[in-house]
Amino acid sequence: MQMIQVEHAAMRFNMANDRISSIKEYLVAVAKGKLERKEFWALKDVSFDVEKGEVVGIIGRNGAGKSTLLKMISGILKPTKGTIQVNGNIVPMLELGSGFDYDLSGRENVFLNGAILGYSKDFLESKFEEILAFSELGEFIDVPIRNYSSGMLMRLAFSIATVVQPEILIVDEILAVGDENFQAKSKARMLELMSGGTTVLFVSHMLSQIREMCHRVVWIEDGVVKMFGDAEEVCEAYQI
């Protein structure tokens, strides 16, 4: 069964050429008809599919279009052209902690961020101790998160995001969060989800992780699919 089908997907952004530094300047430029826009195609005619339970890696240089593709599949962005069909519930781990309120405590943010991810209050209450234990925050769970280090934030966000076993998991460089011990634990949790039948899209700049964890790989270059196929073959071609 195909969980994700991407067919001839493309994403266009309209970028202003003028160096406008304020809303007032923007409105004046619009009123005078002097606002120049430039088309930028972040992705062009991208097609591939992902089977149920498959782990598909996405590789490419910075700016190749990988994050844009993940946001399109997650439903955050709508493709300018083409279609994307997703069969199953998605947990996108793209920008961990993006839904946090820095004036609230870690405990309060568990329920806020969990709600954003679609979890019910009852579910989060039943899983709270599990989230706390995995995050290793201890008594800091009741401290406002504006006092957290970046590593503490990432540990909390990862713990919330992976508390369930989604049908589709989208991961963007997540295994680099925290210290070495937490990275190992994060990786083990990822492998546990994968072994349970979760379909995974996995972006990483570490080809060793891609080779180890992925069945097939999509290589994105300048917004197009350069190669799609067996993980070892694509990684080898990418390195060359």
Side-chain angles (χ1 to χ4, degrees):
M1 175 183 175
Q2 289 186 339
M3 298 296 284
I4 301 172
Q5 291 175 287
V6 181
E7 297 185 352
H8 307 292
M11 189 70 216
R12 180 191 66 217
F13 294 101
N14 292 320
M15 304 171 65
N17 287 338
D18 303 58
R19 292 186 177 181
I20 295 175
S21 57
S22 69
I23 295 177
K24 180 180 178 181
E25 288 183 17
Y26 174 82
L27 293 174
V28 169
V30 171
K32 292 182 177 180
K34 292 183 178 181
L35 185 67
E36 297 181 9
R37 292 189 176 276
K38 177 183 177 183
E39 284 190 351
F40 171 69
W41 289 89
L43 290 170
K44 297 163 276 189
D45 198 29
V46 171
S47 297
F48 66 93
D49 60 82
V50 182
E51 298 292 330
K52 181 176 175 59
E54 189 175 25
V55 182
V56 172
I58 301 177
I59 60 175
R61 293 178 295 178
N62 289 334
K66 304 186 299 299
S67 293
T68 298
L69 176 60
L70 295 186
K71 288 176 181 177
M72 289 165 62
I73 294 171
S74 301
I76 298 170
L77 295 175
K78 183 178 180 180
T80 307
K81 293 182 179 179
T83 60
I84 295 177
Q85 183 174 341
V86 177
N87 301 310
N89 70 300
I90 295 180
V91 169
M93 292 196 292
L94 305 181
E95 298 172 2
L96 285 183
S98 59
F100 283 164
D101 184 327
Y102 283 71
D103 290 325
L104 301 180
S105 68
R107 182 185 299 272
E108 291 167 322
N109 272 290
V110 166
F111 292 93
L112 173 63
N113 198 243
I116 291 172
L117 291 173
Y119 305 155
S120 70
K121 182 181 179 182
D122 289 343
F123 175 81
L124 290 167
E125 286 178 342
S126 70
K127 292 289 186 177
F128 180 80
E129 291 302 324
E130 181 182 333
I131 293 170
L132 176 58
F134 195 93
S135 70
E136 301 174 0
L137 288 173
E139 61 187 16
F140 287 100
I141 195 68
D142 290 310
V143 172
I145 65 169
R146 63 173 177 271
N147 298 314
Y148 283 16
S149 66
S150 59
M152 293 167 73
L153 281 172
M154 293 303 98
R155 277 155 43 195
L156 180 59
F158 184 90
S159 302
I160 298 168
T162 59
V163 72
V164 296
Q165 183 163 331
E167 293 175 279
I168 301 170
L169 184 64
I170 297 183
V171 184
D172 190 358
E173 296 287 0
I174 297 307
L175 299 186
V177 305
D179 57 24
E180 189 174 339
N181 289 334
F182 193 80
Q183 286 181 28
K185 191 162 75 167
S186 299
K187 181 179 176 182
R189 176 61 177 146
M190 289 288 300
L191 292 172
E192 179 186 335
L193 290 173
M194 293 172 184
S195 65
T198 295
T199 302
V200 181
L201 278 182
F202 179 46
V203 168
S204 177
H205 285 100
M206 296 180 64
L207 291 185
S208 59
Q209 288 184 346
I210 294 289
R211 282 187 163 104
E212 179 184 359
M213 304 177 76
C214 300
H215 304 115
R216 293 189 292 166
V217 171
V218 183
W219 173 8
I220 303 288
E221 190 75 31
D222 295 325
V224 300
V225 176
K226 180 93 171 181
M227 189 174 179
F228 177 46
D230 175 75
E232 185 61 39
E233 291 179 6
V234 177
C235 287
E236 184 68 25
Y238 181 74
Q239 283 186 302
I240 294 173

